Amino acid sequence: RYFLNPVKLSVSFMKHLCYDKWMKQSYDSREWYARKQFVTLFEEICTTEGLSLTWFCDQWIARVQKNDTAIFINGYSFPLNTAPASDGMRDKVATYEILTTAGIPAIAHHLVRLSKLRETTGVVEQVLAASPLPLVVKPTSGENGGFDVYKCATEQEVTEAVEQLASRHRSLAVGPLVNIAHEYRVIVLDNTPLLVFEKIRNGREWRHNLKLGATPKVVTDQTIKTEVSALAVRALKAMQGRVAAVDVAKTPDDYKVMEINSGATLDRFSMHSPEYRAITVDIYTQIVEKSLTSVTM
C-alpha cells in the first residue's frame, strides 16, 4: 500500500527514522553507561579470582578462562542455560504458555503475528480480540527494559502502538493491564535464590523498570522473600533453565510471574550503593564459577 501512496510512505519513513534516532540517543546512552559498570565489575571479579579475561565486540562478549577451561559470556547471558531454554525465556508468549501449562501463575501474554511486510491491516482487531481494554502490547521477544511496552486504554492507542511496533518487530505479545502493587526481581541459580529485590517505580512512570527510573530495594521481609523465591524457582525449573532473573508481580490475584530474563542483569542494581555492588560481585562470582565447572568437553 505504501508504494501507492508516496506521501504516506515519506511520512512513515521519517517517523521511523526520528524514532530510531531518539531511541539510539536515549536508550544506547543509558544502556552503555550501565554496561560500563558491568565491565568494571567483571574485570574486578576476574582479577580477584585469577581468571583470564578477553573482551570482544566492544566489550559485549567476554571470554573467561581458568587453566584450560574457557567460557563465553554474551551480553549478560552465561553458558548455563541451553539454547532452547534461553530462547523460551526470551519469548514472553512461550514463557506464559509453558508456565501456565505447568500450573504456575503468570501474567497473560497472547501472540499476535505481523506480516513480513509489516502490514498492520487487521492487526488492531487481533490485538483487541486477544485481550480486553485496557491492555498492554509489547514485542514477544527480547529484554527491552520497559522500552517498546505500550499501555492502551482506547482503540486509537492500540492503533498507534501497533504502528510503532510493526516497524521494528515481527510479532507482538498482548495481555491485560494488571494492577501491580509490587514488582520483584529474583536471581536464581540452580534452584537457589541468590537475591530478591523490589523495583520501586518512579512516581511519574507506570512501568517498574530500573532503566526507566525505578529504584531497587533488597527485600528483607522473610515472608515475602519465601513466597516470591519459591515461585521464581518453580518458574525457572519449568523453563528448564539454570540461571535467570525472574520478575514476579504482586497482583490482586496474588503473586504471578511477569517474565523471565535469561540474562542476569544487575548493573543498575549494583550502582545503587556499595552494599548492592558487593552483592552483585558475589552473585556474578558464583555464576562464573558454576559456568566454568559446568563446561563439558
Side-chain angles (χ1 to χ4, degrees), residues 96-111:
Y96 167 69
E97 293 183 354
I98 292 171
L99 293 184
T100 52
T101 299
I104 298 171
I107 292 179
H109 289 81
H110 303 294
L111 178 65

Side-chain angles (χ1 to χ4, degrees), residues 44 48 59 71 74 86 104 123 144 179 186 197 206 247 254:
E44 176 183 315
T48 302
Q59 297 181 317
I71 59 171
N74 190 336
S86 292
I104 298 171
V123 176
N144 303 309
N179 180 19
V186 187
F197 69 88
W206 65 279
D247 289 337
D254 210 353

Side-chain angles (χ1 to χ4, degrees), residues 2-235:
Y2 287 142
F3 291 103
L4 300 177
N5 192 336
V7 174
K8 189 171 185 178
L9 172 61
S10 177
V11 172
S12 176
F13 183 67
M14 288 304 296
K15 286 171 66 178
H16 180 70
L17 283 181
C18 290
Y19 183 84
D20 282 352
K21 182 177 180 181
W22 177 84
M23 282 292 286
K24 183 174 181 59
Q25 291 174 342
S26 61
Y27 178 76
D28 285 0
S29 61
R30 300 176 191 175
E31 184 69 12
W32 286 107
Y33 174 72
R35 179 67 182 178
K36 290 178 182 178
Q37 310 306 311
F38 177 87
V39 170
T40 300
L41 289 170
F42 220 74
E43 290 176 344
E44 176 183 315
I45 290 169
C46 289
T47 298
T48 302
E49 300 298 317
L51 306 174
S52 173
L53 172 65
T54 306
W55 291 108
F56 303 94
C57 301
D58 197 18
Q59 297 181 317
W60 187 250
I61 295 177
R63 182 179 186 272
V64 178
Q65 183 168 348
K66 182 177 183 180
N67 299 324
D68 295 329
T69 303
I71 59 171
F72 283 98
I73 299 159
N74 190 336
Y76 300 93
S77 296
F78 294 82
L80 289 173
N81 298 323
T82 64
S86 292
D87 289 345
M89 286 184 267
R90 291 191 185 99
D91 188 314
K92 297 172 178 61
V93 176
T95 297
Y96 167 69
E97 293 183 354
I98 292 171
L99 293 184
T100 52
T101 299
I104 298 171
I107 292 179
H109 289 81
H110 303 294
L111 178 65
V112 172
R113 294 188 182 277
L114 298 169
S115 71
K116 292 182 180 179
L117 297 177
R118 304 298 196 268
E119 173 64 58
T120 60
T121 301
V123 176
V124 172
E125 289 75 13
Q126 293 180 57
V127 170
L128 292 171
S131 181
L133 293 170
L135 57 80
V136 174
V137 59
K138 63 182 80 168
T140 56
S141 62
E143 298 163 3
N144 303 309
F147 291 99
D148 267 358
V149 178
Y150 293 85
K151 176 175 64 173
C152 304
T154 66
E155 183 173 340
Q156 179 59 35
E157 290 179 346
V158 172
T159 301
E160 293 171 356
V162 166
E163 288 178 350
Q164 289 287 344
L165 292 168
S167 66
R168 296 181 295 281
H169 304 284
R170 294 187 176 182
S171 59
L172 307 177
V174 182
L177 178 64
V178 178
N179 180 19
I180 298 176
H182 303 276
E183 185 176 322
Y184 304 94
R185 170 156 291 186
V186 187
I187 306 299
V188 181
L189 173 63
D190 285 339
N191 299 321
T192 301
L194 303 182
L195 170 67
V196 182
F197 69 88
E198 182 176 359
K199 296 185 282 186
I200 303 173
R201 62 186 177 86
N202 185 314
R204 300 181 299 276
E205 174 59 56
W206 65 279
R207 293 160 291 189
H208 297 72
N209 299 89
L210 300 190
K211 289 181 181 179
L212 300 178
T215 302
K217 181 180 179 181
V218 172
V219 175
T220 57
D221 186 300
Q222 194 57 49
T223 300
I224 295 175
K225 285 180 64 175
T226 299
E227 292 190 55
V228 172
S229 297
L231 181 57
V233 169
R234 287 178 59 204

